[in-house]
Amino acid sequence: MTALIGMRLRGYAVTGRALAPLLAGLVVLGTLYGGGRAQAGEAYGVSAVVLLPVLAWQTKLLLDGEPDVQRRLAAVALGSGRREVLSGLIAAVAAAIPIVGLAMVVPWLLGGITGPEQPGDAPLRTGIALGIWAHLLLVPPAVVLGALASRAVTRSAGRGVTTLATGVVLVLVLGLRGSPAPWLVPPAMAVARLASAADPGRAVLTVTGWAVAWTVVAGAGYLGLRTFAVSR
């Protein structure tokens, strides 16, 4: 399984498919922080949200790069279709870490982070900690969203792109305040609001549990869809 994860990551990097999401991430971050300075929590919270579709797209590219026959052979070699699916998700998470690292460093290079300006503002250290939490928390939901849009599930490029675009729009729309069903999507918008709070308190645990629960449920759905696709 470790060898398969490494093979997928090497194939993703060597073929050049990794370049497009990386450049997209840099463009998004440059645009975000080029407009002015913000406190760490607020800046990183927005950064985590705008990078979610980039990471989901990256996951789709990584999973779509493998031919269908090779994917089936990998499942046979591992002796389990679930292990093959899990190896793809782990590879996608590993591919997301460099972009998360850039998201934490780029604002400092561009001068986009400022310290507390008023007595009630959160300390810089708290804002950075919340920023790390926000980015890492949204990686698994982004990976699952991209996996649900992959060719192995949607069976065509058009349906895959539509699934990905629809998922991203729903994350943003249903995540707004007053949404009738915010639990249908991962808490991206809630994470952004919480990261900018001066004292998030126990809400961090609530939002973390929400993200974990959504990832587990959506991940189980992805596994079921992949199993169904293989049996067809």
Side-chain angles (χ1 to χ4, degrees):
M1 187 169 171
T2 302
L4 180 59
I5 293 171
M7 182 188 72
R8 282 175 163 160
L9 288 173
R10 285 192 299 271
Y12 179 62
V14 170
T15 57
R17 294 193 306 275
L19 189 59
L22 179 61
L23 291 177
L26 289 174
V27 169
V28 167
L29 293 172
T31 303
L32 177 63
Y33 293 110
R37 306 175 69 188
Q39 294 188 45
E42 178 183 358
Y44 282 135
V46 176
S47 169
V49 173
V50 298
L51 283 180
L52 185 145
V54 175
L55 296 178
W57 177 40
Q58 175 176 257
T59 298
K60 176 174 168 52
L61 290 178
L62 188 151
L63 296 178
D64 284 356
E66 191 173 36
D68 295 337
V69 174
Q70 182 176 325
R71 190 168 57 248
R72 293 189 179 96
L73 289 175
V76 173
L78 291 175
S80 170
R82 292 190 176 187
R83 295 181 67 186
E84 183 273 324
V85 172
L86 183 60
S87 68
L89 295 177
I90 293 175
V93 170
I97 298 304
I99 294 182
V100 170
L102 284 175
M104 299 303 299
V105 173
V106 166
W108 295 98
L109 300 177
L110 298 178
I113 299 293
T114 183
E117 298 178 343
Q118 299 179 3
D121 293 339
L124 181 60
R125 182 178 300 178
T126 301
I128 294 174
L130 286 172
I132 296 173
W133 166 79
H135 283 87
L136 294 180
L137 185 67
L138 292 182
V139 166
V143 166
V144 172
L145 178 59
L148 287 169
S150 64
R151 188 183 70 250
V153 173
T154 60
R155 312 306 295 175
S156 76
R159 286 196 293 268
V161 172
T162 301
T163 300
L164 182 61
T166 301
V168 170
V169 170
L170 288 176
V171 167
L172 299 178
V173 173
L174 293 181
L176 297 174
R177 292 185 185 274
S179 168
W183 45 270
L184 287 177
V185 295
M189 303 301 287
V191 164
R193 290 192 292 266
L194 195 58
S196 62
D199 183 20
R202 293 187 177 181
V204 169
L205 297 178
T206 302
V207 173
T208 300
W210 176 1
V212 171
W214 188 92
T215 301
V216 170
V217 173
Y222 169 65
L223 178 59
L225 290 172
R226 281 291 310 276
T227 303
F228 175 72
V230 171
S231 65
R232 293 179 61 183

